[in-house]
Structures are given as structure tokens and as C-alpha cells.
Amino acid sequence: MQTTSKVNAVLLAGDRRASIALHNENKAFLNLRGKPLFIHVLEALLRAEHVGEVVIVGPRERLIQSLEIFGISEDVAVVEQRENMIENFKVGYVCSLGLDETQEFWNLKGSGYESTPVLVVPCDIPMLLAEEVDEFLNRANMHEYDYSIGVTSKKILRYYHPHGDTPGIRMIYFHVKEDLMRHNNLHVAKPLMLDHLDYIEKMYEWRYQTRLANIVRVFFSALTHGFRFAKGLRVFIVMQLSLYYDRHGHPKLADRIRSIAGFNRLSEGIGNVLGARVQVVYTHFGGAALDADNEKDLAVMDRRFDEWINYQKNLYS
């Protein structure tokens, strides 16, 4: 399936461990402007120049029914979800290689697939455009790195914040020396090259870093994994302190603290945790960073959908 000019993609639409439901529903199937969220994301992937085939992992029968309703069949495979996000990703990656889903992921180590990357995208970013996907893939250097993580600057995302009486989405940012930035939900990786793939599941479960319990979990998990987490722990502590003081009305102190953690330290720290060569990649549209994590944000997306989509399209033109 993999070609020299295109990267196959895995679209995660599961609703089991560590996933968050809205309205007691799998977010993949929530309606936005007449379409389930995952259809919005899927259409962006299928329009992207640098994306080949797409594997969707989730409740298979429901996904197939939705695809039939919207007349989508080409370049899409659907796989039944497993018990957690990492297992969904593993089976999705195996299928993206054109292999049967019963093939054991780790048995592929040493089989020649180590250099084959895959794009990984969640189902809850309906503002995503094909142009942002292509920008990310164009900037991701998969010759020198094993894992590229997408980010977007606060300077870009400020447009989507609330303004006066106009509702918006205000996000939490990573604080590093050069910038305030937000993870934008785009990943491209050569997963068989990651020594500690299992830790991504933990980071996903603990991703809400304004919750004290999650901060404590990450801190002690890093301590118990020894020397290879030392740099990652240092960056984590600095970013958390900067975020804390910024959120509590001390922006100057936050800026002084984050000056300790440079942009390169962030990728090095993540690389140490995962046992991989990691690159952080900027995109400049903003749609990929707007995830429907709660009912309020989904309502804002519905209200401002046309405006935000047109704004991104004008950035491209």
C-alpha cells in the first residue's frame, strides 16, 4: 500500500479505554453540520495530496454504515477496535501495510517494515483541512526522524479564542523558551522504531495536564523509569511551572521560567521517553488543534464552522 510519494493514515475512532464520550456517545459519531465528526476528518485525509489509503479503527459496523450513507468506499479500510488506543493503533498500522489484521505488530520487527511511516489522526478534529495535513507531511522529515509531532503556535490559535461576545475556544499551551504552542493532534511515525511505544498510551491517558492527579502520575512515572527520562522530566517540570504561573496571573515569572526549556529540549525529552528520534513540526492553519473535547467546544465549532473553515482556506490561497 505504501508508495514513495504518499503516506497511509490511521484514523482512530474507538470509544474504549481512555477515550472520552460526549452526550454519552462515541465522539466519532457526533453530528456537526450534518456529518459525524469522523467523516469531516476522513474527507480532509482523502483530499490530502500526500495521504494514500486510510484505515479507520473503531466500532466497525457503525463506521461502515456511516461510510455507506456518505458514499465513501475507495481508499478506506475499516477495522474493529481493540481495548485501548495503542492496540487500535497497532492493528491500524498492520492493516495500513496491507497485511491481515491478525498479524502480530511486534513480529514485524526486523521484517523490513521499520522504515515505513504512518500518519495517525484522531476522529474529533472536524476543522482539519487537507492543506494542513499536506503542510505537516511536507515538513515532517522521516528520513532523519522516527516520530514527528505536530504543533501550532498560540500566535496562530489566538484567532480561535473568544473575543468580546463572540464565543471561541481557549486552549492550554506548552511553554518553552521560543514560543507558546499547542499539540495539534497530527502524528507521523515509524512505529517499529519506537522502543517504548507503550508509554504513548500512558501520556494519552494523562493528557489533561491542568489536573493535579495527572501531573503527579507523569512525574512519578518518569522517576521510576530511570536515567532515560531525566531530560524529559526536567522539561516537564519547567513547562508545568511556567503554565501554573501564567494561569495564576504571573506572566512575567512564567516567561522567565520557560526560558530554561528550549524548543530542542522538548523534542529531546520526548525522544528519551519514547526511545526514538523525535521532531516537533509546526503547522499554520489551526484547524488540527481544535479538538471537540467537551460539549461547549463542540457547540462553538457548530456556530463558527463556516467562518473558521473559510479563514483557513484563505490562509492557503
Side-chain angles (χ1 to χ4, degrees):
M1 292 171 65
Q2 183 67 40
T3 67
T4 56
S5 60
K6 295 189 176 185
V7 176
N8 291 334
V10 172
L11 173 54
L12 297 173
D15 59 357
R16 292 181 180 167
R17 180 179 170 186
S19 64
I20 295 178
L22 291 182
H23 304 293
N24 296 315
E25 171 66 289
N26 181 342
K27 286 195 292 184
F29 299 99
L30 290 176
N31 188 285
L32 178 65
R33 298 298 179 96
K35 296 178 182 178
L37 295 187
F38 90 92
I39 291 290
H40 287 280
V41 180
L42 176 60
E43 289 178 339
L45 294 175
L46 293 177
R47 287 195 297 266
E49 180 182 352
H50 298 298
V51 174
E53 299 187 17
V54 180
V55 177
I56 312 175
V57 186
R60 188 171 186 274
E61 292 303 318
R62 290 192 68 186
L63 290 168
I64 290 175
Q65 289 174 7
S66 293
L67 293 175
E68 290 175 348
I69 290 171
F70 290 94
I72 300 174
S73 58
E74 295 185 3
D75 297 326
V76 177
V78 183
V79 181
E80 182 61 48
Q81 65 181 327
R82 272 45 176 181
E83 291 304 314
N84 58 57
M85 185 266 290
I86 285 297
E87 293 306 313
N88 287 346
F89 165 69
K90 287 178 180 177
V91 70
Y93 179 68
V94 167
C95 292
S96 78
L97 298 172
L99 304 176
D100 189 271
E101 64 182 83
T102 59
Q103 172 69 54
E104 177 62 34
F105 173 84
W106 288 117
N107 287 345
L108 298 176
K109 195 84 169 177
S111 64
Y113 289 109
E114 286 89 348
S115 62
T116 304
V118 66
L119 174 69
V120 187
V121 182
C123 66
D124 61 347
I125 49 173
M127 311 304 299
L128 179 69
L129 291 186
E131 291 79 7
E132 185 165 16
V133 175
D134 283 329
E135 180 187 36
F136 173 68
L137 291 175
N138 276 325
R139 291 169 176 260
N141 181 355
M142 295 312 293
H143 296 290
E144 297 182 19
Y145 297 94
D146 306 312
Y147 182 20
S148 293
I149 305 171
V151 298
T152 305
S153 173
K154 182 180 180 180
K155 300 180 184 71
I156 302 295
L157 295 174
R158 191 179 288 123
Y159 176 83
Y160 305 97
H161 288 187
H163 297 287
D165 295 331
T166 304
I169 299 176
R170 189 179 299 277
M171 289 151 273
I172 304 298
Y173 296 95
F174 295 127
H175 288 223
V176 296
K177 178 179 180 180
E178 294 84 357
D179 198 6
L180 303 183
M181 57 191 178
R182 171 80 172 180
H183 171 231
N184 69 14
N185 298 292
L186 299 177
H187 312 255
V188 64
K190 294 179 283 189
L192 293 169
M193 297 296 292
L194 275 60
D195 292 336
H196 308 289
L197 182 63
D198 59 311
Y199 204 76
I200 295 179
E201 171 73 6
K202 293 184 175 65
M203 290 192 292
Y204 182 76
E205 291 181 26
W206 305 335
R207 63 193 179 278
Y208 295 106
Q209 288 300 298
T210 56
R211 299 177 184 174
L212 179 60
N214 287 346
I215 295 173
V216 172
R217 288 188 184 105
V218 172
F219 181 81
F220 280 101
S221 180
L223 285 179
T224 58
H225 282 75
F227 175 76
R228 68 181 178 86
F229 279 1
K231 289 184 179 179
L233 181 60
R234 178 177 180 272
V235 172
F236 170 78
I237 292 172
V238 171
M239 289 196 304
Q240 287 299 330
L241 285 173
S242 179
L243 173 61
Y244 174 84
Y245 285 113
D246 184 63
R247 287 173 59 84
H248 288 80
H250 302 284
K252 292 183 179 179
L253 178 57
D255 287 343
R256 286 199 293 270
I257 293 173
R258 71 185 174 97
S259 66
I260 302 172
F263 185 82
N264 291 336
R265 296 291 186 185
L266 176 61
S267 57
E268 289 175 5
I270 297 172
N272 285 339
V273 171
L274 298 180
R277 301 168 300 169
V278 173
Q279 175 192 27
V280 178
V281 176
Y282 273 100
T283 62
H284 297 85
F285 291 83
L290 301 173
D291 43 11
D293 263 346
N294 55 67
E295 296 178 10
K296 179 181 177 182
D297 288 350
L298 183 59
V300 170
M301 288 183 188
D302 183 64
R303 176 170 173 176
R304 302 191 68 183
F305 184 84
D306 293 331
E307 174 197 344
W308 284 355
I309 289 292
N310 290 332
Y311 171 76
Q312 293 181 79
K313 289 180 177 178
N314 288 334
L315 289 177
Y316 177 74
S317 59

